[in-house]
Amino acid sequence: MELKKGIDTMKFSTLPPKGTFDVLPNDMELRNYVKDVIRHTYISRGFNEIETPMLENIDLMTNSDGGENLRLIFKILKRGEKLELGEGVNPDDLCDLALRFDLTLPLSRYYAKNRNELENPFKAFQMGYVFRAERPQKGRYRQFIQSDIDIIGDDSIFAEITILKTVALALGKLGFSNSRIKINDRRLLREIIEAVGLDEIFETVCISLDKLDKIGEQGVKEELIGKGVSSEKVEILLTTLTNLKTKGLQSFDSIYAKELAQIIEAVGRDYNIEFEPSLVRGMGYYTGPIFEIVSDEFGSSIAGGGRYDNLLTKFQKESIPAVGMSIGFERIIQILKDRGFQIPGKGKKVAILVGEYEKLEKAEELAQKYIEEGHIASIFSIVGVNPNKISKKISAFTKQGFHDVIVVQ
């Protein structure tokens, strides 16, 4: 039998799946630096680092108040005998797991399972990948890192104040000290929407208002009218929100407004914070104060969160107070890269070239000396390289970002 000669010439794309990305060494260095700054800041304020699985039970994900993210869930088919395809079967019945679309739902499950072993109140943070099946575009990915910080078990405004100040401190250390904090309260927002006569579709209206900074006032008008809201009520709603921006919290006669004013006063002693009555936040599980940190450089928020006191009732009867915030990690990275940010205190990158085995020990001693001085040292072989081409080798290493290139003689 004649065997075919040659190899399979089929070519595969080198591109990662849409909405994902490869991380090159220099970018990885920056990402690790940003993580370290956030991590050290949070730990210094008494927060505990945790980790939850990227996979979650699909029932938890689909029965959450995750807003429009529910349409963006990556669902995972059952395996083996559990996967029995049949005519007329609902595709959702063939899935039992999903990739997490945020870190808050996994944290709630984590706390409900482990609460007897955790501090009370529990101050936690985690950084990890989340997944959303949305249309990829600049600054939006299908796989990206979120950085969350939460306090569970504290129903006082001290929790909001601590979260906001801690996140603002971390962002300030990363060069975002001029960012603005916007704050509102879902309970005040409900009062406004109910006054307009739209209380039965509160969450629907919130989903549209949440897009105000993306599609503008006209876009929100068109979307609400398309959902069946009369143009008259839409006009009244948007006008009311605009007027409240001018009048401020003093126009509300409620305990919620007073608490919001206290948060603004406490945080405002150190950071730029303002009341924004049109702020919504897309997640339906928010129950009280909601907030965002906005960077004019990016033209959007770089962090956001709020209070979600009822989320843990999915796992137990009692309601446990909770408040949290997430930093837009990928947005932070992109802004820093656009700025040409250089990691402070970073040592030199040194290449040590060795052409003979007998010189290796000397090269290792030299490398160790650089390392002890806080630099990065790598040893490379130039065995067999023509002496006349050593200069080309040195130039190549310089182009690769090495500050010093040393040939051990």
Side-chain angles (χ1 to χ4, degrees):
M1 182 176 68
E2 183 180 353
L3 297 175
K4 291 185 179 180
K5 296 181 179 180
I7 59 173
D8 189 348
T9 58
M10 181 178 178
K11 296 286 191 283
F12 293 95
S13 172
T14 60
L15 296 175
K18 283 187 177 181
T20 66
F21 49 85
D22 295 322
V23 181
L24 296 178
N26 285 342
D27 287 345
M28 196 71 212
E29 197 172 12
L30 175 61
R31 295 168 78 86
N32 285 336
Y33 169 77
V34 172
K35 286 181 182 179
D36 286 344
V37 170
I38 294 171
R39 178 178 288 112
H40 293 155
T41 302
Y42 290 178
I43 289 174
S44 72
R45 291 299 189 94
F47 286 84
N48 305 282
E49 186 168 15
I50 67 167
E51 184 173 284
T52 56
M54 294 183 188
L55 295 177
E56 280 292 348
N57 294 317
I58 196 166
D59 289 343
L60 172 62
M61 308 302 288
T62 55
N63 291 289
S64 67
D65 297 318
E68 293 203 326
N69 285 331
L70 297 183
R71 298 189 298 102
L72 307 175
I73 298 175
F74 279 106
K75 301 174 182 179
I76 299 175
L77 287 174
K78 296 177 181 178
R79 279 79 48 213
E81 295 179 359
K82 293 182 179 180
L83 180 58
E84 296 180 1
L85 297 173
E87 187 175 348
V89 174
N90 185 333
D92 284 351
D93 293 336
L94 303 177
C95 304
D96 57 355
L97 298 173
L99 294 175
R100 63 190 182 191
F101 60 72
D102 74 358
L103 298 178
T104 307
L105 281 167
L107 169 65
S108 299
R109 179 197 54 72
Y110 172 97
Y111 180 81
K113 178 181 182 295
N114 301 295
R115 61 179 298 189
N116 292 333
E117 302 172 40
L118 303 174
E119 300 170 358
N120 185 33
F122 183 49
K123 300 171 71 175
F125 76 94
Q126 60 177 323
M127 289 181 275
Y129 278 108
V130 299
F131 307 84
R132 296 178 188 173
E134 59 184 339
R135 183 171 63 86
Q137 52 188 293
K138 183 179 180 181
R140 283 188 174 274
Y141 305 99
R142 290 175 173 171
Q143 171 186 303
F144 56 95
I145 286 180
Q146 275 193 344
S147 172
D148 279 21
I149 180 172
D150 297 82
I151 298 177
I152 300 178
D154 186 347
D155 62 359
S156 75
I157 61 172
F158 292 172
E160 278 88 349
I161 293 168
T162 299
I163 290 283
L164 286 169
K165 285 195 170 187
T166 303
V167 173
L169 176 62
L171 290 174
K173 291 180 178 180
L174 292 169
F176 294 89
S177 56
N178 293 326
S179 299
R180 293 174 292 117
I181 302 171
K182 294 184 177 183
I183 190 168
N184 195 10
D185 194 307
R186 293 272 291 200
R187 295 165 296 188
L188 297 180
L189 192 60
R190 181 177 287 277
E191 289 182 3
I192 296 168
I193 292 174
E194 288 179 352
V196 180
L198 299 174
D199 48 302
E200 293 184 358
I201 56 170
F202 173 73
E203 292 299 340
T204 299
V205 173
C206 284
I207 289 173
S208 296
L209 289 177
D210 190 46
K211 302 175 184 176
L212 195 60
D213 62 335
K214 302 179 184 70
I215 63 177
E217 188 171 306
Q218 185 59 38
V220 171
K221 284 181 182 179
E222 293 173 359
E223 183 168 309
L224 286 173
I225 292 172
K227 292 178 176 179
V229 181
S230 69
S231 58
E232 180 182 358
K233 287 187 175 182
V234 171
E235 195 65 41
I236 293 172
L237 174 63
L238 294 176
T239 300
T240 301
L241 292 174
T242 300
N243 290 340
L244 287 174
K245 176 71 173 176
T246 304
K247 294 178 182 178
L249 285 168
Q250 62 271 20
S251 62
F252 286 102
D253 183 19
S254 74
I255 184 63
Y256 308 134
K258 292 177 182 177
E259 288 183 349
L260 208 54
Q262 289 176 323
I263 295 173
I264 291 173
E265 179 184 23
V267 177
R269 288 195 285 265
D270 301 301
Y271 303 101
N272 185 2
I273 183 170
E274 61 187 35
F275 170 53
E276 178 50 71
S278 65
L279 180 63
V280 176
R281 301 294 299 161
M283 300 300 190
Y285 51 63
Y286 289 126
T287 59
I290 47 178
F291 27 79
E292 289 183 350
I293 298 182
V294 178
S295 167
D296 292 333
E297 283 184 73
F298 192 80
S300 182
S301 65
I302 56 174
R307 179 167 285 277
Y308 53 98
D309 287 348
N310 297 328
L311 194 56
L312 277 154
T313 57
K314 293 182 180 297
F315 307 99
Q316 55 204 25
K317 291 183 179 179
E318 62 179 308
S319 176
I320 297 179
V323 59
M325 195 169 193
S326 178
I327 288 178
F329 185 85
E330 306 300 344
R331 297 181 182 183
I332 295 295
I333 294 296
Q334 189 59 54
I335 293 173
L336 292 177
K337 287 172 65 175
D338 291 345
R339 288 178 179 175
F341 177 81
Q342 297 295 318
I343 298 174
K346 180 181 173 182
K348 292 191 298 184
K349 192 175 178 183
V350 182
I352 300 173
L353 311 185
V354 185
E356 300 175 25
Y357 174 79
E358 290 74 17
K359 305 294 184 182
L360 180 57
E361 184 177 0
K362 181 179 178 181
E364 290 175 339
E365 292 175 354
L366 183 59
Q368 185 60 34
K369 179 176 180 295
Y370 274 105
I371 291 169
E372 290 173 355
E373 292 175 354
H375 304 296
I376 299 169
S378 299
I379 298 173
F380 297 95
S381 168
I382 53 171
V383 175
V385 176
N386 189 314
N388 296 328
K389 295 184 177 180
I390 295 297
S391 59
K392 288 185 177 181
K393 275 284 185 182
I394 294 174
S395 297
F397 279 105
T398 302
K399 289 179 180 178
Q400 291 172 24
F402 286 89
H403 301 90
D404 292 342
V405 182
I406 301 169
V407 179
V408 177
Q409 304 292 341

